[in-house]
Amino acid sequence: MHILGTLLAFVVAIGILVLVHESGHFGMAKWMGVKVLRFSIGFGPALVARRFGKDRTEYVIAALPLGGYVKMLGEEGGEVMAAEDRPRAFDALPPRKRFLIAAAGPAANLLFAVVAYAGVAWLGIPGLAPIIGDVRPGSLAAQAGLAPGERVTAVAGRSIHSWEDLRLDLIAAAVGRSATRIDIISAAGVRQSHSLPFGKLPADVIGPNFLSHAVGVEPYLPVRVGAVQPASPAQRAGLQVGDRILAVNGQRIGTWDTFLHLVESHPGQALQLQVATVSGQAQVLTVTPETVRNAQGRTIGRIGMALAPLPKDLIVIEHRGFITGLVYGAERTWQMSAMTVEMMLRMVQGFVSPDNISGPITIAEFAGQSAQAGLAPFLAFLGLVSISLGILNLLPIPVLDGGHLFFYTLEMIRGVPLSTSVMQKSQQIGIVLLMLLISFAFYNDIMRLLTP
């Protein structure tokens, strides 16, 4: 059932984004007076096909939902057409109008992202409070003076409301490889500023788990016992529901991930837990994790307890009005678009890992997760992928919109179009480049599935 839900969310997401993109081309073409022959969502055999309008345009939903297209009269060249239709052919338009039709698809994706992020702002999306739980010794965060318990309020002057805001803004700053100011409020209520020297980061560090691996910070997730398994090491040690684990072997614990790592890395070895009980009493308990094998066959420790739900005061939800929501949508779209372009450039330079390139499998996984989380997370996912789709299509690769834009620009400069042979060879090169990109994205997807 989970797989079916993921597939359904993926098909819905791709269907919406393709519909938006192709509607941009379709709407601009109709506005320019071009006769549209077919509007297809998907490729391959038609599942549903209907004709509407005075031009008898065929509207199609096809079997393979990984794309779509708008077929216009005269788009392929050398077509046989009635004399009265000739002025309405795509190739009869001047290059500036063909440029606008090609640009309308990516533009529609970016406009949709504005609306999607505005919808997130209107609905409000739950997020984790931007409080630092753990700082890895010797990390970039430790060198900058960041400390557990500090709440981040701004990055480079931009207000931070959630841990996700912090992650996105720090990634954007790291891509720019510039020193970035972080404003915080300490646990004692003192306002301070720190500077993260992202210029010192080694190449190829921006990727999954950027904050924990590259910056060295984890969000504050108090380790409070939610359940204890009968006859488990946790029960034998005296842990009870509601107890909060403060430290392990003298090491302060601010996140569940840190605690889990310590338990799993000490199978059969006694651990001293500093615990605050529900009544507020301090205790020191000794627990010895039992030795088990995980799904990958690796020996780990386990004590048989589950984490309690996150306290309500650590969940932040920010709602915005209609106008301020639209402003937020425009700002977020601009920020994510600029970051996407800069990440592409940095990837070529070797400062961003190519592992960040995702294919349909990863997109489907995130589509399913965001859809299960609610409408606001799903809209945020759609906004992000719509931006990626829009920016990707603007790349100057033949067969993509950006390739057409490049050719039309050359035509406007030269005054004459490129020769048919040059166009055909360019299209072939573009197909090869696109297939290589798709193959690499699939490779990354498969490696993520195979990596523990």
Side-chain angles (χ1 to χ4, degrees):
M1 196 66 182
H2 172 70
I3 295 177
L4 290 177
T6 296
L7 288 176
L8 179 60
F10 174 69
V11 170
V12 170
I14 294 300
I16 291 173
L17 297 179
V18 170
L19 176 63
V20 167
H21 182 91
E22 299 304 332
S23 292
H25 293 310
F26 176 82
M28 185 61 71
K30 297 289 282 187
W31 191 50
M32 295 292 182
V34 177
K35 184 175 183 178
V36 178
L37 304 177
R38 183 179 297 123
F39 183 112
S40 178
I41 302 299
F43 299 106
L47 300 177
V48 179
R50 296 288 186 273
R51 292 185 181 274
F52 299 101
K54 66 177 183 178
D55 290 334
R56 303 303 295 164
T57 301
E58 185 181 25
Y59 297 87
V60 177
I61 298 178
L64 300 176
L66 299 178
Y69 62 93
V70 172
K71 184 178 180 181
M72 296 170 281
L73 182 68
E75 188 177 11
E76 298 176 354
E79 298 176 40
V80 177
M81 65 186 74
E84 62 270 19
D85 284 338
R86 183 60 202 165
R88 300 187 61 199
F90 178 77
D91 58 358
L93 294 177
R96 68 179 184 278
K97 291 189 175 181
R98 281 179 272 140
F99 184 98
L100 291 175
I101 292 174
N109 281 123
L110 295 178
L111 287 174
F112 174 79
V114 173
V115 176
Y117 280 123
V120 171
W122 295 330
L123 292 170
I125 182 171
L128 186 63
I131 302 174
I132 298 173
D134 282 328
V135 176
R136 193 176 70 247
S139 65
L140 199 69
Q143 295 172 28
L146 289 169
E150 293 180 339
R151 186 183 187 115
V152 180
T153 59
V155 172
R158 181 190 292 270
S159 297
I160 297 298
H161 302 285
S162 68
W163 190 263
E164 179 65 9
D165 288 345
L166 177 64
R167 187 183 72 86
L168 290 176
D169 281 17
L170 287 185
I171 288 177
V175 169
R177 300 188 65 76
S178 58
T180 302
R181 192 189 77 190
I182 295 183
D183 298 327
I184 63 94
I185 298 178
S186 70
V190 179
R191 293 182 179 273
Q192 295 177 321
S193 293
H194 303 281
S195 179
L196 280 175
F198 282 123
K200 295 181 179 181
L201 280 177
D204 195 26
V205 298
I206 298 176
N209 303 314
F210 170 74
L211 288 187
S212 58
H213 292 176
V215 180
V217 293
E218 296 277 1
Y220 176 57
L221 293 170
V223 182
R224 193 178 297 276
V225 180
V228 177
Q229 293 180 358
S232 65
Q235 187 184 59
R236 290 193 293 270
L239 281 172
Q240 298 181 14
V241 173
D243 287 350
R244 183 179 163 196
I245 299 173
L246 305 176
V248 176
N249 288 349
Q251 177 181 339
R252 180 189 177 279
I253 300 297
T255 71
W256 170 254
D257 285 342
T258 301
F259 176 70
L260 188 62
H261 173 73
L262 286 169
V263 171
E264 289 186 344
S265 62
H266 290 79
Q269 302 176 43
L271 298 174
Q272 279 197 334
L273 310 182
Q274 293 181 22
V275 176
T277 66
V278 178
S279 61
Q281 294 180 335
Q283 290 184 342
V284 176
L285 305 177
T286 300
V287 61
T288 302
E290 60 185 359
T291 302
V292 299
R293 290 189 178 275
N294 61 11
Q296 290 76 40
R298 189 165 56 92
T299 300
I300 61 172
R302 186 167 294 166
I303 65 172
M305 63 158 277
L307 186 66
L310 198 64
K312 291 183 178 180
D313 59 349
L314 292 182
I315 300 176
V316 293
I317 302 178
E318 186 185 14
H319 297 275
R320 298 179 184 239
F322 182 77
I323 299 300
T324 55
L326 285 175
V327 172
Y328 170 83
E331 290 177 344
R332 179 62 79 181
T333 298
W334 172 258
Q335 179 193 22
M336 298 303 296
S337 298
M339 187 171 72
T340 300
V341 172
E342 193 162 9
M343 283 189 72
M344 288 181 177
L345 295 175
R346 295 295 185 182
M347 197 175 294
V348 173
Q349 296 173 344
F351 291 116
V352 174
S353 171
D355 293 343
N356 290 285
I357 298 176
S358 299
I361 298 174
T362 299
I363 293 173
E365 183 180 355
F366 281 111
Q369 292 174 354
S370 62
Q372 290 177 4
L375 179 57
F378 190 59
L379 283 176
F381 165 79
L382 288 178
L384 178 60
V385 179
S386 191
I387 290 171
S388 299
L389 181 61
I391 298 297
L392 178 65
N393 268 281
L394 288 174
L395 292 177
I397 299 175
V399 311
L400 294 180
D401 294 328
H404 296 305
L405 295 175
F406 178 72
F407 292 142
Y408 299 149
T409 301
L410 287 180
E411 185 177 345
M412 285 186 279
I413 294 173
R414 298 171 71 242
V416 293
L418 296 174
S419 66
T420 303
S421 61
V422 170
M423 292 290 290
Q424 288 176 345
K425 290 179 181 177
S426 299
Q427 297 284 351
Q428 292 170 356
I429 294 173
I431 291 173
V432 171
L433 291 174
L434 194 58
M435 291 304 297
L436 288 174
L437 181 62
I438 292 172
S439 299
F440 187 73
F442 267 111
Y443 170 79
N444 280 347
D445 283 351
I446 294 170
M447 290 306 295
R448 289 187 186 103
L449 290 176
L450 296 178
T451 302

